[in-house]
Amino acid sequence: MNVQMVLRPVLFGFLLLLPNILLAEGETGTVNPIDKSDTTWMLVSSALVFFMIPGLSLFYGGIVRSKNVLSTMMHSFVAMIVMTLQWTIFGYSFAFSGENPYIGNFDLAFLDGIDLNSTKGSIPTYVHFLFQGMFALITPALISGAIAERIKLSAYILFILVWSTLVYDPVAHWVWADSGWLFNMNALDFAGGTVVHLISGIAGLSAAIVIGKRKGDPGLLTHPNNMTYTLLGSGLLWFGWFGFNAGSGLAVNGLAARAFLVTLIAPAAAGASWLLIEWYHTKKATALGAASGIVAGLVVITPASGFVGIKGALIMGVLVSPVCYLAILLKGKLKYDDTLDAFGIHGAGGALGAILTGIFALELAEGMTFESQMIAQLISVIATGFYSFVVSYILALIIERTIGFRIEEDKEITGLDQEIHGEKGYDIR
């Protein structure tokens, strides 16, 4: 009896403490709340986006003349090299650190303060750095499409390095950082309609205006050297874009699945729309048209991929092709030389996508009405586009007036492959 009298309060006390003991064990297990599934998907998504850059090089490389194919493809590969270093040293920090609404600071320079236990949501911060870094790598490469076949490699490297620091990093901070002013205005941009496509297309337009037109017969300037490259490149871009959009939710869930789905649907609708427009206009349905339509559809759905459903994706894909088609025709009227239609597809398509996101979003941002959401979308387009144009124009002008942005005329006529790289894209014997 005495033993029972002693054990009863001990057992009772143990039962009272059991929930706290179990809770303590659970807390120990969630000190580092990394979700393995989310982390795996984000590593795969990072690799998919990285794979888009060689795809872009093929897409661009096939459209230029054969004497410039290697130079054009090198612009994408050089961006991989230069921007990896910039993003590691200070780019990621400028984009995602600090409390300033306009630009980050040096807190995360060289990834200082980040270790194996650092997390961003349910994934390691290292993975967040990698995924966002792939966006930073491909965006400057997109610009090269507007100024291909006539620029110095050294000037291009300087341009993308400074441009990314002054334009890409701040705009990424505005739109995606927790303290960014457009983020807090509730402007919707799921995967980079403004951050990636609009500002790169606008930057390409600015640089093309400063540098001027290519030399040569206008008919020969638009004669692609290898459309098989371009078709393959568009397919690789589409493949990588599934990671680009579906990975932007930073998790494996229904949102990622729907973003993946609309990234399939919108480009298909845009490709069909482009071919119909082209057939009506020229009585031809070209491979270049199909590839251009696919990319335009990918661009327009990018900002909306996390917010729209199937019907919205279909409509956006159909609408983007006539807009981009007209934007490309416009360069002939305004007499600027956007070599590979970087502005016509990425600039116009990115702006349209950001605006249509507000129209077709299944749910508006918290606390927003349709009118306030549309105002936020318009402000984001105008602010990012205007900022990119002004800074890009000034930067291109400074480079042109100092070290020279454009290559010498005789070297341009010979071809950049031979003059810059001492190699040929094709050596057929």
Side-chain angles (χ1 to χ4, degrees):
M1 182 66 69
N2 291 336
V3 174
Q4 291 178 347
M5 292 179 62
V6 172
L7 289 178
R8 281 177 183 171
V10 172
L11 181 60
F12 182 71
F14 175 77
L15 291 173
L16 288 176
L17 293 173
L18 183 60
N20 293 329
I21 295 170
L22 294 174
L23 182 60
E25 289 177 351
E27 289 173 349
T28 301
T30 58
V31 169
N32 184 18
I34 293 176
D35 185 286
K36 292 182 180 180
S37 298
D38 291 346
T39 300
T40 301
W41 167 237
M42 292 311 301
L43 286 170
V44 171
S45 294
S46 299
L48 286 169
V49 180
F50 184 81
F51 197 51
M52 291 172 65
I53 308 175
L56 179 68
S57 75
L58 285 169
F59 182 83
Y60 278 171
I63 305 175
V64 297
R65 292 166 291 176
S66 58
K67 64 183 180 180
N68 297 318
V69 59
L70 191 64
S71 168
T72 300
M73 295 178 74
M74 274 291 290
H75 289 153
S76 295
F77 282 84
V78 165
M80 291 184 192
I81 297 169
V82 173
M83 294 315 305
T84 294
L85 298 176
Q86 190 267 7
W87 190 247
T88 302
I89 296 170
F90 57 83
Y92 179 71
S93 189
F94 280 8
F96 289 102
S97 69
E99 300 299 325
N100 189 290
Y102 303 107
I103 187 66
N105 53 38
F106 287 97
D107 285 353
L108 300 178
F110 294 97
L111 303 187
D112 284 349
I114 298 174
D115 57 30
L116 296 178
N117 296 317
S118 302
T119 58
K120 180 73 172 180
S122 61
I123 63 174
T125 307
Y126 285 136
V127 178
H128 184 257
F129 164 86
L130 287 170
F131 181 70
Q132 290 294 341
M134 302 311 169
F135 287 63
L137 267 60
I138 196 171
T139 304
L142 295 173
I143 298 172
S144 69
I147 51 180
E149 298 200 289
R150 60 196 187 277
I151 58 173
K152 296 178 180 178
L153 181 62
S154 57
Y156 169 71
I157 291 172
L158 179 61
F159 181 83
I160 64 171
L161 179 61
V162 179
W163 181 87
S164 295
T165 304
L166 298 181
V167 179
Y168 181 83
D169 296 341
V171 173
H173 187 84
W174 299 355
V175 176
W176 288 331
D178 292 340
S179 59
W181 70 278
L182 286 175
F183 180 86
N184 287 294
M185 188 184 287
N186 288 324
L188 300 176
D189 189 345
F190 192 70
T194 54
V195 180
V196 176
H197 299 291
L198 175 59
I199 64 171
S200 63
I202 290 285
L205 174 64
S206 297
I209 292 171
V210 170
I211 296 168
K213 294 183 178 182
R214 289 167 289 170
K215 305 294 183 182
D217 186 306
L220 296 176
L221 293 180
T222 56
H223 185 68
N225 79 89
N226 192 335
M227 278 309 304
T228 57
Y229 273 12
T230 300
L231 277 178
L232 179 60
S234 67
L236 294 178
L237 283 169
W238 199 348
F239 173 70
W241 224 293
F242 290 123
F244 197 95
N245 287 350
S248 289
L250 306 182
V252 176
N253 50 29
L255 179 62
R258 192 180 68 194
F260 199 114
L261 181 59
V262 298
T263 305
L264 175 67
I265 292 168
S273 177
W274 195 294
L275 288 174
L276 287 172
I277 293 166
E278 195 173 47
W279 177 260
Y280 177 80
H281 184 232
T282 67
K283 301 305 178 186
K284 301 289 183 182
T286 65
L288 180 58
S292 298
I294 288 168
V295 174
L298 290 165
V299 170
V300 78
I301 200 62
T302 292
S305 54
F307 306 115
V308 303
I310 307 307
K311 294 177 183 177
L314 280 168
I315 297 171
M316 291 177 71
V318 169
L319 292 178
V320 72
S321 291
V323 171
C324 290
Y325 196 89
L326 288 172
I328 291 171
L329 293 179
L330 189 64
K331 70 179 183 181
K333 301 291 184 181
L334 299 181
K335 301 187 184 307
Y336 64 86
D337 188 4
D338 178 358
T339 310
L340 306 176
D341 300 318
F343 172 72
I345 292 179
H346 296 279
L352 180 67
I355 294 169
L356 293 182
T357 297
I359 295 175
F360 293 109
L362 297 174
E363 294 182 6
L364 303 178
E366 185 177 355
M368 301 291 276
T369 64
F370 177 77
E371 290 76 14
S372 62
Q373 188 68 69
M374 289 306 302
I375 290 172
Q377 298 306 113
L378 289 170
I379 289 174
S380 70
V381 169
I382 294 169
T384 57
F386 178 77
Y387 179 74
S388 180
F389 184 87
V390 171
V391 177
S392 303
Y393 188 91
I394 294 171
L395 177 58
L397 190 62
I398 291 173
I399 293 174
E400 177 64 16
R401 298 287 177 83
T402 53
I403 66 172
F405 208 145
R406 184 167 187 150
I407 200 165
E408 294 82 355
E409 184 174 346
D410 58 330
K411 294 181 178 179
E412 181 181 342
I413 293 171
T414 301
L416 275 62
D417 289 1
Q418 189 64 46
E419 292 293 344
I420 293 178
H421 305 289
E423 300 169 303
K424 295 180 179 180
Y426 306 107
D427 192 4
I428 302 173
R429 299 178 186 277

